[in-house]
């Protein structure tokens, strides 16, 4: 429950109702992130492992399928992707120099929307917000053609890698971005989106979320949601079931003609959060050729200090609607949050715990169905992989655990790219044989 509240508190900051209030809240968000201790006790300096890992890390294309960089850029208008930032003092976990430093070749930037009102005006606001986030990605990438480029296919990413540039992919997080307008899928596809996470932490018109306190509304996909999945298949846009309920997962798996993905999720067998995927789900996902990308959000990886849980619950009870607070309430809430962070700081999960999830999935279904989706700047970041500059530690940990170069190539992007290509193949087939 705490993890949900924690997530809610962090992610709800992304939809400002008042810009000034939002700025204050984003400051509180930064302090919340900074309250967690980034120092790792694990070291990554065994010379033999380090040398082998460095060689492999440089040889394979590295892809992370989920980062909330656009949200950070919108809330920090002076942020410059081409400059190096200190994650501890700025809260930023990703920029182009740190991607290069960490050997991260490609990253999905999320067009993220916290769930808002499912009314005509709410849906219109979601569409406007999505446009702002697409624009900020396009503009920031276009501003630095020497450092990065937009990518929509695996081939784009390989070409950019060859030029020594970062590849920026786009994914939409929360199907609320289309409201009830199917045609927006094509619009977002044309703007570069290659996956859409069907929901966030609340139910929407497409499907049920895994964490809506009201519980199931559609019992999986709605009738409209079924049309959404069909249209995504026709476009070749990946159906992303991270955040959605189990019933939604099973509906998508049954309906989708292309394999489906979890862009940032973990294994429920290792930590029993309903946002994670059960072994049964992972087996079924793999059987249809999909992939699950490892989230690095502490709330989905380990239990929290019960005192912090209680304090955060009380805070949420006192301020249930974060987006609707007055400036004074917002300030009072920020102060209370600071106090909680001082008294009960979050102790981050470790990269070893993340690697345990990888091991578990590999033992369950093999190495072809797992990847990395760290959720940096969306609450993700663990000890050992606190920001993107530490991405090399992931390879170190995998080498240490005995994974081969070929295994690591698959985990680092090969698996996800296989699914992207399959979605494109299915789209071609569907368009060759038009619907009657
Ligand atoms: Zn998310």
């Amino acid at each position: 429950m705490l993890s949900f509240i924690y997530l809610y508190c962090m992610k709800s900051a992304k939809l400002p109702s008042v810009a000034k209030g939002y700025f204050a809240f984003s400051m509180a968000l930064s302090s919340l992130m900074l309250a967690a201790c980034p120092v790792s006790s694990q070291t990554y300096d065994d010379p033999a492992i380090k040398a082998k890992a460095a060689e492999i890390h440089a040889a394979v294309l590295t892809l992370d399928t989920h980062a909330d960089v656009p949200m950070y850029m919108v809330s920090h208008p002076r942020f410059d992707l081409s400059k190096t930032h200190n994650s501890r003092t700025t809260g930023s976990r990703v920029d182009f120099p740190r991607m290069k430093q960490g050997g991260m070749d490609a990253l999905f930037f999320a067009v993220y929307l916290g769930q808002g009102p499912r009314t005509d005006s709410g849906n219109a606001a979601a569409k406007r917000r999505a446009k702002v986030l697409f624009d900020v990605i396009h503009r920031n990438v276009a501003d630095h053609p020497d450092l990065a480029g937009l990518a929509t296919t695996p081939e784009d990413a390989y070409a950019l890698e060859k030029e020594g540039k970062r590849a920026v992919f786009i994914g939409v997080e929360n199907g609320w971005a289309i409201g009830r307008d199917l045609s927006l899928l094509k619009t977002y596809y044309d703007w570069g989106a290659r996956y859409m996470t069907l929901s966030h932490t609340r139910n929407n018109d497409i499907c049920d979320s895994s964490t809506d306190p009201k519980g199931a509304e559609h019992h999986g996909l709605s009738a409209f949601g079924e049309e959404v999945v069909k249209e995504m298949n026709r476009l070749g846009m990946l159906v992303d079931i991270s955040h959605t309920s189990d019933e939604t997962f099973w509906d998508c798996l049954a309906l989708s003609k292309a394999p489906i993905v979890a862009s940032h999720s973990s294994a429920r067998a290792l930590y029993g959060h309903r946002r994670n995927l059960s072994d049964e789900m992972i087996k079924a996902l793999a059987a249809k050729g999909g992939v699950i990308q490892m989230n690095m959000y502490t709330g989905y990886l380990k239990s929290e200090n019960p005192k912090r849980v209680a304090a955060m619950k009380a805070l949420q009870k006192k301020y249930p609607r974060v987006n609707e607070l007055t400036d004074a309430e917002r300030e009072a809430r920020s102060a209370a949050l600071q106090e909680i962070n001082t008294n009960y700081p979050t102790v981050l999960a470790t990269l070893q715990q993340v690697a345990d999830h990888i091991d578990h999935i590999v033992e369950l279904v093999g190495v072809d169905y797992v990847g990395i989706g760290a959720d940096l700047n969306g609450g993700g970041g663990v000890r050992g992989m606190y920001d993107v500059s530490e991405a090399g530690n992931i390879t170190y940990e995998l080498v240490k655990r005995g994974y081969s170069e070929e295994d690591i190539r698959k985990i680092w992007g090969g698996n996800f790219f296989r699914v992207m290509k399959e979605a494109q193949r299915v789209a071609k087939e569907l368009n060759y044989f038009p619907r009657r």
Side-chain angles (χ1 to χ4, degrees):
M1 184 64 192
L2 162 78
S3 46
F4 167 64
I5 295 167
Y6 183 61
L7 173 75
Y8 179 76
C9 133
M10 301 185 85
K11 289 258 181 166
S12 60
K14 295 175 185 175
L15 263 188
S17 50
V18 181
K20 185 168 152 249
Y22 177 57
F23 182 70
F25 197 74
S26 78
M27 290 293 101
L29 174 68
S30 296
S31 14
L32 179 66
M33 289 169 158
L34 296 174
C37 169
V39 181
S40 174
S41 52
Q42 162 90 22
T43 55
Y44 298 88
D45 51 11
D46 178 282
I49 300 174
K50 204 174 165 183
K52 188 174 178 193
E55 198 178 305
I56 293 174
H57 199 65
V60 306
L61 189 142
T62 50
L63 167 74
D64 177 327
T65 54
H66 198 86
D68 281 296
V69 185
M71 181 267 295
Y72 187 89
M73 291 194 290
V74 168
S75 61
H76 298 76
R78 285 197 296 268
F79 177 74
D80 183 347
L81 261 178
S82 71
K83 300 272 184 314
T84 304
H85 300 78
N86 183 325
S87 56
R88 299 180 199 204
T89 55
T90 66
S92 154
R93 308 289 180 94
V94 177
D95 50 44
F96 291 144
R98 278 181 292 166
M99 279 179 75
K100 191 167 187 176
Q101 188 189 339
M104 185 71 86
D105 298 312
L107 197 57
F108 268 84
F109 282 24
V111 169
Y112 161 77
L113 302 177
Q115 186 62 47
R118 290 153 55 185
T119 56
D120 286 350
S121 63
N123 293 345
K127 183 179 161 185
R128 282 196 302 274
R129 175 73 179 174
K131 172 88 167 60
V132 166
L133 292 161
F134 273 105
D135 285 350
V136 85
I137 300 170
H138 292 159
R139 200 170 54 242
N140 276 278
V141 175
D143 279 351
H144 305 292
D146 49 329
L147 300 177
L150 274 182
T152 56
T153 63
E155 291 74 22
D156 289 345
Y158 289 120
L160 286 160
E161 185 202 19
K162 245 187 202 164
E163 295 173 30
K165 295 178 187 172
R166 309 301 109 195
V168 174
F169 285 95
I170 302 176
V172 173
E173 184 177 21
N174 192 355
W176 183 52
I178 66 164
R180 296 193 56 83
D181 182 354
L182 266 189
S183 74
L184 281 176
L185 285 169
K186 172 79 164 67
T187 304
Y188 296 156
Y189 183 89
D190 290 343
W191 290 349
R194 287 299 177 268
Y195 73 66
M196 185 170 84
T197 320
L198 297 187
S199 76
H200 189 236
T201 58
R202 294 290 186 275
N203 303 335
N204 60 24
D205 286 339
I206 296 173
C207 65
D208 293 335
S209 165
S210 59
T211 48
D212 194 316
K214 291 184 188 138
E217 177 183 331
H218 314 287
H219 290 282
L221 284 171
S222 66
F224 173 65
E226 290 178 3
E227 294 308 309
V228 169
V229 169
K230 288 180 195 166
E231 178 65 4
M232 290 173 82
N233 282 170
R234 196 187 67 77
L235 291 166
M237 189 188 279
L238 293 173
V239 175
D240 177 18
I241 54 76
S242 282
H243 285 290
T244 69
S245 72
D246 289 9
E247 287 178 308
T248 303
F249 166 87
W250 291 111
D251 280 358
C252 289
L253 199 70
L255 180 64
S256 179
K257 291 198 168 5
I260 64 174
V261 301
S263 68
H264 58 306
S265 292
S266 306
R268 199 178 293 170
L270 270 66
Y271 184 60
H273 194 290
R274 58 190 183 276
R275 169 73 175 73
N276 293 337
L277 272 59
S278 70
D279 284 358
E280 195 190 357
M281 291 160 82
I282 293 167
K283 280 184 192 167
L285 180 87
K288 289 212 163 181
V291 64
I292 170 172
Q293 305 284 105
M294 297 298 92
N295 200 338
M296 300 198 192
Y297 173 65
T298 289
Y300 301 147
L301 294 167
K302 68 189 250 310
S303 303
E304 191 55 276
N305 174 353
K307 285 182 180 166
R308 183 181 170 92
V309 177
M312 290 299 287
K313 262 188 188 167
L315 187 73
Q316 200 208 14
K317 205 172 169 191
K318 194 167 178 188
Y319 304 103
R321 296 177 186 279
V322 180
N323 292 325
E324 296 168 18
L325 300 180
T326 64
D327 285 355
E329 286 169 333
R330 210 178 286 273
E331 269 175 38
R333 187 187 177 284
S334 290
L337 191 58
Q338 293 268 28
E339 199 179 319
I340 294 171
N341 287 332
T342 306
N343 294 338
Y344 317 114
T346 288
V347 178
L348 290 179
T350 64
L351 184 54
Q352 288 67 48
Q353 283 170 307
V354 176
D356 290 346
H357 284 246
I358 295 176
D359 285 350
H360 175 75
I361 292 164
V362 171
E363 274 167 34
L364 196 66
V365 292
V367 77
D368 293 321
Y369 311 100
V370 63
I372 305 294
D375 207 359
L376 295 175
N377 270 130
V382 293
R383 282 178 281 165
M385 169 67 183
Y386 189 68
D387 77 5
V388 73
S389 70
E390 293 186 300
N393 289 346
I394 298 173
T395 304
Y396 182 102
E397 189 62 28
L398 294 173
V399 168
K400 189 176 152 197
R401 291 177 185 228
Y403 287 92
S404 69
E405 176 168 344
E406 205 37 47
D407 293 340
I408 293 170
R409 188 185 300 278
K410 288 175 177 178
I411 293 168
W412 257 130
N415 291 335
F416 197 87
F417 281 167
R418 178 197 73 233
V419 183
M420 283 185 83
K421 284 180 186 166
E422 179 60 11
Q424 285 299 320
R425 192 195 63 75
V426 168
K428 264 197 195 124
E429 203 174 281
L430 290 173
N431 288 301
Y432 187 75
F433 300 108
R435 282 177 297 176
R436 289 176 203 180

